[in-house]
Amino acid sequence: MIDRVRNLITGKTAVLFDFDGPICRLFHGHPAHGIAARLIERIEAGADRELPGADWDSEDPHSILRAVHEEQPDGELIEVLEAQVTQEEVVATETAYPTPFADRLIQTWNATGVRLAVTTNNSPLAVDKYLANRRLSHCFRSVHGRTARADHLKPDPDCLHRALHSLDAAPSDALMIGDTAADLLAARAAGVDFLGYGRDPFRQGRLHDAGADLVVGSLGPVLDLVWETAAQA
């Protein structure tokens, strides 16, 4: 598999990182299911009726944002909920757990001249705070996260298109590192090669089931390959 990873990353001039997963475990100390529960409580406390057709994962705040946006795209509720999720994600950065080898991989790729961007469904405010805390901000040319348009969350490729434009990179010159099926589908829609990262067999299996061709269980081998390429250059 290592040769396939080498072939995938060789020649790439831009790398797009998903945030929660490949860079850190954002909700390590501030669980996402708790955030989702508080969103549902807020919806139920202020609603005089159930949202018709609301379909969400009760442990996933982003699925709640999508569902509410579908029913009330121009309503005040989606703005209130998005602001709450943003606040919760910023709090979560304080206890986020760095993904092993991610900091060094980011620093090494940046040092070799590869242009980096973050493409995430999380708030850019949370990403900016985490990167500043880890002293990684200078490594990224841009951060492209959640906007007011919840329908533009991945698997929609909107954040990838914005990142490619900001990096002045063609899709064929870019690689995305992600850990969910939504990341894979967004990369495919944008025409960007995809490297899956799964920190355990369950997450690796989900990526394979979604159709990912190449999935790694650690970023360590990727870091080694980047060092190897830099040494040869």
Side-chain angles (χ1 to χ4, degrees), residues 136-215:
L136 294 171
S137 300
H138 68 284
C139 295
F140 288 91
R141 304 287 182 92
S142 55
V143 172
H144 303 275
R146 188 176 61 249
T147 68
R149 291 287 303 272
D151 56 329
H152 283 174
L153 294 171
K154 291 177 288 185
D156 188 281
D158 173 70
C159 64
L160 279 76
H161 288 316
R162 286 186 279 129
L164 292 171
H165 179 74
S166 72
L167 299 179
D168 193 23
S172 59
D173 294 329
L175 170 72
M176 180 178 185
I177 301 179
D179 69 331
T180 67
D183 293 327
L184 170 64
L185 294 174
R188 285 181 173 174
V192 173
D193 284 339
F194 181 80
L195 175 63
Y197 164 73
R199 60 184 169 86
D200 56 43
F202 173 72
R203 288 169 175 77
Q204 295 164 29
R206 287 196 307 187
L207 284 168
H208 284 303
D209 290 344
D213 296 323
L214 195 54
V215 179

Side-chain angles (χ1 to χ4, degrees), residues 54-70:
D55 181 19
W56 55 53
D57 179 346
S58 62
E59 297 192 353
D60 179 6
H62 296 158
S63 76
I64 296 173
L65 293 180
R66 286 191 193 93
V68 173
H69 186 273
E70 285 181 8

